[in-house]
Amino acid sequence: MSRIKALALFSGGLDSALAIKIVQEQGIEVIALNFVSHFFGGVNEKAEYMAKQLGIPLEYIHFEERHMEIVKAPVYGRGKNMNPCIDCHSLMFRVAGELLEKYGASFLISGEVLGQRPMSQNPQALEKVKKLSGVGDLILRPLSGKLLPPSLAETRGWIRREGLLDINGRGRSRQMELMAQYGLVDYPSPGGGCLLTDPAYSIRLKILEEDGLLEHEYADLFSLIKISRFFRFAKGRYLFVGRDEISNAKIDDIRRERGSNFYIYSFETPGPHMLGFGELTEEEKNFSRKLFSRYSKVKGKEEIKLNVSGIVETLAPISVEAMEEDMKKYQL
């Protein structure tokens, strides 16, 4: 007789890993699903290492476009920042439910803990997730299972309720103790992982939303506002400025893929790579030239040569003090 299988929502972190282990202890075969959106998920060495420790396959599930729609118009609204947590969890469960037949699985599990996040993991919120996801009692939350109504896995006899946990609240000491007992190590620090919960990132993303650019086709912008300095001149007119070699390389990659009417870098003077978005005015382009000098190795004090959209130009020294005042108008 084949073993019962479950699909697990898996970040690779403490709670999702422990939830899987609790279910494995009852003889369930688990397949881990790591969801990939524009704002979280994706290839993760620690998640892959944890999956290896648990002895389970890890599948990356791309749902960027579907996730984008609930970020734009969540049924249950957003948290403190741009995070539509209830809608997001619901969508992940919905997509996982659609994959049950493909993987020959019978139910779904997650590492959610009752009361860990007051707004999205209280009893009412968990019920909203069950209903909005459309999968209902297929969801099992092993870490708080004893405190929640029985799931389908329990009523069908696949899972013994006494083998579930009764964790409640924001502390994670009990989870850490259990992970140590199971010999599971090197998991990411609890919390975090989603850019939509980050206040600074959310401010920038809100600007894109107000400018009508919170769309899947502008996914490159979601990456640029994370890795680079962000200057907004007016609606839909931006300048992205590299912070280091990694962000400079990313800016170059996006420029080659998307194309741009305006970009700046220098072959001779170490400094940021810059990428314009939208139709910048001549005044904004001149500001950008001076901004390169301000952030470059010469700090505005020497004449430099720039590559401006493929044309080599010479820029005289600038007044850094005046530039600092101008920067305050546009930088986010």
Side-chain angles (χ1 to χ4, degrees), residues 175-196:
Q175 291 97 304
M176 292 178 179
E177 290 173 5
L178 288 167
M179 289 287 276
Q181 290 176 23
Y182 286 126
L184 297 172
V185 298
D186 198 23
Y187 47 84
S189 299
C194 177
L195 288 172
L196 298 175

Side-chain angles (χ1 to χ4, degrees), residues 145-207:
K146 287 182 177 178
L147 304 175
L148 299 170
S151 66
L152 181 71
E154 296 165 78
T155 59
R156 290 286 182 89
W158 303 329
I159 289 289
R160 300 183 306 279
R161 190 170 178 84
E162 61 269 21
L164 303 177
L165 303 180
D166 58 357
I167 300 175
N168 185 16
R170 307 190 72 170
R172 284 187 166 95
S173 58
R174 189 173 172 195
Q175 291 97 304
M176 292 178 179
E177 290 173 5
L178 288 167
M179 289 287 276
Q181 290 176 23
Y182 286 126
L184 297 172
V185 298
D186 198 23
Y187 47 84
S189 299
C194 177
L195 288 172
L196 298 175
T197 64
D198 181 86
Y201 183 85
S202 291
I203 289 171
R204 293 178 165 201
L205 191 64
K206 186 69 176 175
I207 293 294

Side-chain angles (χ1 to χ4, degrees), residues 11 103 143 183 248 310:
S11 66
Y103 291 105
L143 303 190
N248 279 350

Side-chain angles (χ1 to χ4, degrees), residues 70-95:
I70 63 106
V71 172
K72 288 161 53 180
V75 174
Y76 288 107
R78 296 168 176 159
K80 290 182 179 179
N81 299 297
M82 289 288 285
N83 49 308
C85 292
I86 293 176
D87 291 73
C88 181
H89 293 164
S90 299
L91 179 60
M92 286 191 282
F93 279 122
R94 177 180 292 276
V95 174

Side-chain angles (χ1 to χ4, degrees), residues 32-70:
L33 307 181
N34 181 279
F35 282 84
V36 183
S37 80
H38 294 306
F39 310 105
F40 59 79
V43 176
N44 181 318
E45 289 184 3
K46 287 199 172 184
E48 293 183 359
Y49 179 62
M50 180 54 69
K52 186 176 181 180
Q53 289 187 79
L54 291 164
I56 59 174
L58 172 60
E59 301 284 342
Y60 290 103
I61 308 300
H62 288 265
F63 73 146
E64 290 92 340
E65 290 191 56
R66 291 177 71 174
H67 186 256
M68 192 75 255
E69 292 307 308
I70 63 106

